[in-house]
Amino acid sequence: MTRMWPPGGTRRPLAPRVAAPREPVDPAWIGRRVVRCRAKGMDAGAVAAALEVARFDARQASRHEGLADDACGPAELAEWERIDQLLAAAPAGTVYAPDVDTVVQAELAIDAAAAAARGAELCEAMRIAARADELQALRELGTLEQTEPRRRRSRR
């Protein structure tokens, strides 16, 4: 014999669950990240050579109408230029390391703060949804007379 819960076999609809929102894809961020990974461990000469290749690729892409809206290519070129300037100002023999790049570290801190804020918002939304489920269950059991907030009477 199968027992149904709740007694009487009626199921109450649950409050809608809050799905974690998807982060939009940022092609420029991806382009910068790819450059940083490739540049890791490169010296000024290797970065200068990679910058020339990136400039050539940018010229080639500018000739194709389909690549006109691509944000990844210009971001990659700008990042190669930034890393080239960074190593040009550094002592001879310095290699690029994203771990000590202040721009990269600042971006990571901003991303971490944004992720923490999104996590807090999601946690609060889940708490509210769970509380709505509890209130609905209490109402169905007859132990709660009202689930909607009372309207305030205006004082005159």
Side-chain angles (χ1 to χ4, degrees):
M1 177 169 113
T2 305
R3 292 191 169 187
M4 303 223 19
W5 183 256
T10 59
R11 301 188 97 194
R12 63 181 170 82
L14 297 175
R17 295 288 175 221
V18 179
R22 290 181 175 251
E23 290 299 311
V25 175
D26 182 5
W29 180 83
I30 293 170
R32 288 189 303 271
R33 185 169 178 199
V34 166
V35 169
R36 291 168 186 163
C37 287
R38 285 189 54 213
K40 187 175 183 177
M42 287 185 171
D43 63 0
V47 168
L51 176 58
E52 288 307 311
V53 171
R55 287 180 177 151
F56 176 79
D57 290 344
R59 285 191 302 272
Q60 294 295 81
S62 70
R63 298 176 182 160
H64 296 282
E65 189 175 310
L67 298 175
D69 294 332
D70 179 34
C72 192
E76 287 182 12
L77 178 59
E79 189 65 9
W80 279 118
E81 289 171 343
R82 188 187 71 77
I83 293 171
D84 184 55
Q85 291 172 359
L86 183 72
L87 289 179
T94 302
V95 295
Y96 179 72
D99 300 339
V100 296
D101 188 341
T102 56
V103 171
V104 174
Q105 296 309 309
E107 284 182 10
L108 290 174
I110 290 169
D111 290 346
R118 285 189 306 272
E121 289 173 4
L122 182 60
C123 185
E124 179 64 11
M126 290 172 46
R127 187 193 66 76
I128 290 170
R131 182 66 180 145
D133 284 348
E134 291 172 12
L135 290 172
Q136 183 67 25
L138 291 172
R139 182 174 185 222
E140 288 176 2
L141 291 172
T143 59
L144 185 66
E145 294 177 9
Q146 180 177 349
T147 57
E148 297 295 322
R150 292 183 183 157
R151 294 185 184 203
R152 293 184 180 178
R153 295 180 188 163
S154 60
R155 294 181 187 175
R156 290 188 184 183

